[in-house]
Amino acid sequence: MTDGMQPIRAHVTGWGRYAPAGVLTNADLERMVDTSDEWIVSRTGIRERRVAAANETTASMAAVASMRAIRTAGIDPDDIDLILLATLTPDYWMPSTAALVKEAIGNKRAAAMDVAAACSGFVYAFATAQAYITSGIAKHVLVIGAELLTRFLDYTDRSTCILFGDGAGAVVLSASSEPGGALGIELTTAPEGAYMIWLPAGGAKSPPSAETIARGEHYIRMEGRETYRFATKTMATTALESVRKSGLDPSDIDLFIPHQANVRIVEAVAKGLDLPMSKMYVNLDRYGNTSAASVPIALAEAVNEGRVQVGDNIVMVAFGAGFTSGAVTVEWTADPARGRAGEAAVDADDVQVRLPVDWDSVDPIPQALVELLARPGPVDVPLDDVVPGEPERAHSEVRG
């Protein structure tokens, strides 16, 4: 509690995003695996996804998104008390990727740790940050979702390689006695689905070996039918419970920002909540599924495009391996115009993650992608680009 006995609340004061310049289109995938643009779009809604360059890592993407969020918040990096980074693709098993981001952004004092809840990771980290703030332990918390999934895909498996992409998003949560900010939070885990989305090898149960590599056990595996069934059910129920805990009704929510996995899932959630798709923010057509990064990237885009205004109620909801799910309802209190200025203030080339001395990785780009990424022509597609001839996106553009 503050001196005036007003409760401490966690407000989103900064937001930022980063997407690699490399683009992998459905047409590219047609050259790699037995699939087609029509098949992918009709079943997932995905048209392209971003691919990190060889010199980019989860930490480097996270650091850029973090600096943009910090600049948007109007604070210094050293004002951050805690750094929480949600990812299932850390740079290393140790140290934490959050620790690498701390150094890259120039913070000297924050605690830093990773959060492992797969695609729900950002919402889980957001909930953790809220707890630190409302308890009075922290004043400013940096919450990041970052993934480099394209290095964990089997490009002969058309059921998974078409789905995922790379990127990072971040928010700053700050303590305030003002009304608004984070309201109701709902988190669940259903371990009966633990092996429906998983990486079989690489952990203590099955450490890396020549045999695990030969069996392809370091690639993402997913049971699509079971995952779809769980996701459509749990995202709606989790979102509803978050809204209920906030003392609101679904009709009070101005915008839902769901995990960007599959447009069919998003449509099913909208139907389950008896809401039009116009209340669902969708950008998966350009990014695919970026796991823990999907919600913060979508949030940053939605705010910067003018879809979120001061006083709006928004719900962020996700599901992921585990099976995990999480939702948070937020009353928005920050000036949306700050986001674009914060993004423009940070050049990705100015943010560097320190590499280990006398060691370097082998070329991290999967061989199946090397030729495609080396093709001539511009690949630096603007984040707000819409390819001519595409169906109109499910959100409006800012004019002026």
Side-chain angles (χ1 to χ4, degrees), residues 41 172 177 335 390:
V41 173
V172 173
S177 59
D335 180 3
E390 283 189 340

Side-chain angles (χ1 to χ4, degrees), residues 29-114:
L29 287 168
E30 288 177 353
R31 297 161 52 192
M32 300 168 62
V33 69
D34 183 17
T35 190
S36 69
D37 175 70
E38 188 279 331
W39 192 93
I40 297 171
V41 173
S42 65
R43 286 162 176 79
T44 70
I46 300 169
R47 295 180 180 275
E48 61 187 36
R49 65 287 295 147
R50 298 300 181 92
V51 179
N55 66 324
E56 292 181 308
T57 68
T58 299
S60 71
M61 295 188 296
V64 176
S66 297
M67 284 303 300
R68 289 173 173 169
I70 290 168
R71 293 292 179 245
T72 299
I75 61 176
D76 293 326
D78 227 25
D79 291 329
I80 300 295
D81 302 302
L82 173 66
I83 300 170
L84 301 172
L85 192 152
T87 189
L88 60 84
T89 55
D91 281 17
Y92 314 102
W93 284 119
M94 61 177 181
S96 71
T97 304
L100 302 179
V101 170
K102 172 182 175 173
E103 183 179 46
I105 66 175
N107 180 284
K108 301 290 196 300
R109 47 184 298 276
M113 63 181 180
D114 290 353

Side-chain angles (χ1 to χ4, degrees), residues 20-385:
V23 178
L24 184 68
T25 67
N26 290 349
D28 293 327
L29 287 168
E30 288 177 353
R31 297 161 52 192
M32 300 168 62
V33 69
D34 183 17
T35 190
S36 69
D37 175 70
E38 188 279 331
W39 192 93
I40 297 171
V41 173
S42 65
R43 286 162 176 79
T44 70
I46 300 169
R47 295 180 180 275
E48 61 187 36
R49 65 287 295 147
R50 298 300 181 92
V51 179
N55 66 324
E56 292 181 308
T57 68
T58 299
S60 71
M61 295 188 296
V64 176
S66 297
M67 284 303 300
R68 289 173 173 169
I70 290 168
R71 293 292 179 245
T72 299
I75 61 176
D76 293 326
D78 227 25
D79 291 329
I80 300 295
D81 302 302
L82 173 66
I83 300 170
L84 301 172
L85 192 152
T87 189
L88 60 84
T89 55
D91 281 17
Y92 314 102
W93 284 119
M94 61 177 181
S96 71
T97 304
L100 302 179
V101 170
K102 172 182 175 173
E103 183 179 46
I105 66 175
N107 180 284
K108 301 290 196 300
R109 47 184 298 276
M113 63 181 180
D114 290 353
V115 176
C119 300
S120 303
F122 176 79
V123 178
Y124 270 59
F126 191 107
T128 304
Q130 186 200 33
Y132 269 82
I133 287 173
T134 57
S135 66
I137 297 175
K139 183 177 180 181
H140 299 291
V141 180
L142 177 63
V143 185
I144 313 160
E147 300 287 10
L148 210 167
L149 292 154
T150 59
R151 296 178 190 171
F152 295 88
L153 300 177
D154 179 357
Y155 286 96
T156 66
D157 178 8
R158 68 176 182 178
S159 68
T160 57
C161 72
I162 66 171
L163 299 176
F164 298 98
D166 304 331
V171 299
V172 173
L173 284 181
S174 301
S176 173
S177 59
E178 295 298 317
L183 303 175
I185 288 178
E186 173 72 1
L187 304 175
T188 70
T189 303
E192 60 268 26
Y195 299 112
M196 296 299 165
I197 315 174
W198 66 310
L199 275 168
K205 176 67 172 66
S206 185
S209 67
E211 289 76 14
T212 63
I213 293 172
R215 291 197 297 261
E217 293 178 351
H218 298 269
Y219 296 131
I220 292 173
R221 296 185 180 181
M222 183 173 69
E223 299 295 333
R225 188 182 303 274
E226 290 78 4
T227 299
Y228 179 90
R229 185 180 299 115
F230 172 81
T232 53
K233 177 182 177 181
T234 191
M235 285 182 69
T237 58
T238 303
L240 277 173
E241 185 61 16
S242 171
V243 171
R244 186 194 67 79
K245 288 181 175 180
S246 302
L248 303 171
D249 294 318
S251 60
D252 297 319
I253 305 303
D254 297 283
L255 189 67
F256 285 81
I257 300 176
H259 171 48
Q260 306 289 310
N262 185 311
V263 74
R264 286 185 171 184
I265 294 174
V266 177
E267 290 169 346
V269 172
K271 183 177 180 181
L273 297 173
D274 195 26
L275 293 171
M277 275 295 287
S278 60
K279 281 202 171 186
M280 299 285 164
Y281 186 85
V282 177
N283 68 355
L284 62 85
D285 54 315
R286 293 171 293 126
Y287 300 111
N289 182 346
T290 55
S291 187
S294 79
V295 168
I297 290 175
L299 173 65
E301 285 204 346
V303 177
N304 291 354
E305 291 173 359
R307 291 296 304 278
V308 179
Q309 302 296 329
V310 173
D312 282 359
N313 295 315
I314 66 172
V315 173
M316 294 173 279
V317 59
F319 75 94
F323 282 133
T324 59
S325 64
V328 56
T329 302
V330 174
E331 181 183 336
W332 194 262
T333 57
D335 180 3
R338 297 194 336 229
R340 288 189 172 184
E343 185 166 300
V346 178
D347 188 320
D349 292 335
D350 294 334
V351 185
Q352 302 294 327
V353 173
R354 181 170 59 90
L355 297 175
V357 177
D358 297 330
W359 180 88
D360 197 8
S361 64
V362 296
D363 187 353
I365 302 296
Q367 188 61 39
L369 291 179
V370 170
E371 179 185 349
L372 289 173
L373 293 179
R375 67 191 185 279
V379 294
D380 192 5
V381 179
L383 288 175
D384 60 353
D385 180 73

